[in-house]
Amino acid sequence: MDFQAGILQDGSPMESLEKQLICPICLEMFSKPVVILPCQHNLCRKCANDVFQAANPYWQSRSSVISGGRFRCPSCRHEVLLDRHGVYGLQRNLLVENIIDIYKQECSSRPLKKGEHPMCKEHEDERINIYCVTCEVPTCSMCKVFGAHKDCEVAPLQNVFQGQKTELNNCISMLVAGNDRIQTIISQLEDLCRSTEENSEAAKQELCARFDALTALLEEKKSELLQRITHEQGNKTDFIQGLIRQYKEQLEKSSRLVETAIQAMEETGGATFLMNAKQLIKTIVEASKGSRLEKIEHGYENMDAFSVSLDHLTEAVRTLDFDPAEEDEEYFDGEEEEVEE
């Protein structure tokens, strides 16, 4: 086992040394005593004994009469024939044991916190120290040797931890980038909302201004037409009032002639009556001829000529609508597509 090559690698010397002191079975640091195989690979004696007993179920103990057994190195698959002592007959690697003692003394200033290493539920005394790649769950070395993961592919827990931590960090980066994009879209939508409100207010003001102008125009036109009707009304009423005055004057003259004629009829003397009667009769006849005053035609009082038809304007108002803005619709559709992207 080449410790110098591991120590001289890049990184912390202690970390490089720790990697060289990892058991290939439990993936933990070798525990005393450490056995060295003929192929020069090292194992924890407990791990080696567990593997040996699993491969040789009929081997009972060191005092068993059954001789030896077969043991396959988990690192290089080299097969070793053991005597009746089993793995206890293998040579201890005192150099590795001493290195481990020195390493632990150096690391004693960094004691592990309580609860830092979770324990296996199936084997309460075993820490979860490996990762089952097949089942994608953390487990312990006993589960790999004897338990549910003995036929599964395993990997060091730290390697999988770093890999999944990197993957999770990439996922976080993707989420952050996605959140930034969503925030950008939200900002764009908020800007669109504000612009929509401002444009709507401007459109309302413009619409009110147009209707106010139209209302003012209608009021102006209505005032003009009313003035024309009033003017015509004045002309007609003045004419009628003039006729009324003429007829009153005629009536007054006729009434005075009637009174004069009645007084003449009361005269008893024939000579006196005849002196005034002829002239009175002549005056009454002339007054009757001159009483033919101007008359008003039938329907003179009607104002039908000033009737206005607003049906076409009413229909135009009913059908009044906004002008179609195809360019605005296309622009809005383009904005929608951009937001969806």
Side-chain angles (χ1 to χ4, degrees), residues 1 3 20-26 28-38 40-49 71 87-101 104:
M1 187 174 184
F3 294 102
Q20 300 295 330
L21 302 178
I22 298 299
C23 174
I25 295 179
C26 65
E28 291 284 345
M29 188 174 295
F30 293 119
S31 62
K32 292 183 179 181
V34 180
V35 296
I36 182 170
L37 302 177
Q40 300 302 309
H41 289 121
N42 295 273
L43 296 173
C44 300
R45 175 166 290 178
K46 180 179 182 300
C47 295
N49 187 48
F71 182 85
V87 296
Y88 290 93
L90 294 174
Q91 182 180 358
R92 291 173 58 181
N93 194 333
L94 299 179
L95 175 60
V96 174
E97 291 182 15
N98 294 332
I99 293 175
I100 290 174
D101 291 339
K104 288 183 177 180

